[in-house]
Amino acid sequence: MGKYLRLRDRLLASGEFDAAEFIVPPAATDSEIARVHCGRYVTRVREGALTPAEQRAIGFPWSEPMVERSRRSSGATLAAARQALASGWSANLAGGTHHAFRDRGEGFCVFNDAAIAARALQAQAGLTRIAIVDCDVHQGNGTASIFALDDSVFTFSIHAARNFPFVKEASDLDVELADGTSDDEYLWHLERGLDEALERARPQIVFYLAGADPYEGDRLGRLGLTKRGLARRDEHVLATLHARGIPVALAMAGGYAHDIEDSVEIHANTIHTARRVWAT
Ligand SMILES: [Zn+2]
């Protein structure tokens, strides 16, 4: 949890960002959340009525701050998406809660921020083609499930085959990688997967989940990417979208390095890369 504050501090300390560029967005509203999640689940989250088993699946106990954090994080991804439509890119310095299903949470995820933002853009901005490019090391199973029968939101997940979640959902495009996959192998698969995803989806906006957990030093990762490899990943995804004129809303998603500063550095690099690519 501490990485988010450190990330903000690190970006501010870099001198590349103006303090005014960091915005605290409004929390997602009940009606925005209700476009994705079923009412009974949202009520149980809000009122603290989740069962012990549901809380264990989510991975932390219920509290009012947990509810507020989940609403805020979804609101931040939505705000980032709106800003991206206006100026090309923007980021939620948290978010990427892709294990949240319509009626349940798991894996540290309560509400699915990208799904909530995608539905809001469809309802409010009239978008009809959206893609979610999920490079977190874990499959975006909640996202895949939410949009399983929906052609308007394309889900692409590139992840470690033998990692959580152990029962995978079917995304529109899944790329499963072996334990220990290296930088070059990863990029080979990513380039092909991204090309196919963009070709099939022809998105008006992309949500990019730039998880820091494919890192070789991640406790929950299983892959073998270096920091340099992760920077190449970000560069490839962001430069490709920029070149095609596709706006991108970033979310940070996972990152659980043995040394928290490694995860923070990887996330910060993602933001710096986006800034650099869109400055060209
Ligand atoms: Zn993850």
Side-chain angles (χ1 to χ4, degrees), residues 10 26 57 67 73 140 156 162 164 195 203 246 271:
R10 186 183 178 113
V67 180
S73 189
F156 167 41
R162 293 185 57 230
F164 176 92
D195 276 351
I246 303 169
I271 303 297

Side-chain angles (χ1 to χ4, degrees), residues 88 129 133 190-206 236-248 277-278:
R129 300 186 314 279
V133 172
L190 173 67
E191 286 168 17
R192 278 149 192 81
L194 184 64
D195 276 351
E196 179 181 339
L198 296 180
E199 195 133 309
R200 287 170 58 189
R202 296 190 305 110
Q204 295 159 299
I205 189 170
V206 162
H236 179 73
V237 171
L238 294 167
T240 299
L241 297 176
H242 179 258
R244 298 187 189 201
I246 303 169
V248 58
V277 166
W278 260 267

Side-chain angles (χ1 to χ4, degrees), residues 61-223:
W62 184 90
S63 66
E64 281 188 8
M66 162 199 167
V67 180
E68 181 66 8
R69 197 169 56 235
S70 302
R71 285 180 174 282
R72 290 270 170 187
S73 189
S74 295
T77 295
L78 174 53
R82 290 192 177 121
Q83 181 61 37
L85 290 177
S87 63
W89 78 279
S90 185
N92 177 0
L93 297 183
T97 42
H98 57 168
H99 301 308
F101 287 72
R102 184 173 178 279
D103 59 355
R104 65 189 167 89
E106 65 179 45
F108 312 130
C109 303
V110 178
F111 299 139
N112 194 309
D113 59 327
I116 289 168
R119 286 285 184 240
L121 292 187
Q122 290 178 324
Q124 296 162 3
L127 268 61
T128 54
R129 300 186 314 279
I130 294 171
I132 297 174
V133 172
D134 189 338
C135 291
D136 187 278
V137 80
H138 306 99
Q139 193 208 26
N141 57 341
T143 317
S145 165
I146 287 166
F147 296 117
L149 301 174
D150 186 332
D151 289 339
S152 67
V153 180
F154 188 94
T155 55
F156 167 41
S157 180
I158 178 168
H159 51 264
R162 293 185 57 230
N163 214 328
F164 176 92
F166 301 107
V167 177
K168 307 282 195 287
E169 301 291 324
S171 310
D172 291 303
L173 178 61
D174 285 298
V175 175
E176 304 218 303
L177 302 170
D179 285 2
T181 293
S182 67
D183 291 348
D184 287 342
E185 289 172 275
Y186 184 95
L187 288 160
W188 191 92
H189 287 287
L190 173 67
E191 286 168 17
R192 278 149 192 81
L194 184 64
D195 276 351
E196 179 181 339
L198 296 180
E199 195 133 309
R200 287 170 58 189
R202 296 190 305 110
Q204 295 159 299
I205 189 170
V206 162
F207 290 89
Y208 175 35
L209 276 62
D213 48 13
Y215 176 51
E216 60 186 351
D218 198 276
R219 290 179 291 124
L220 306 178
R222 304 190 78 102
L223 299 189

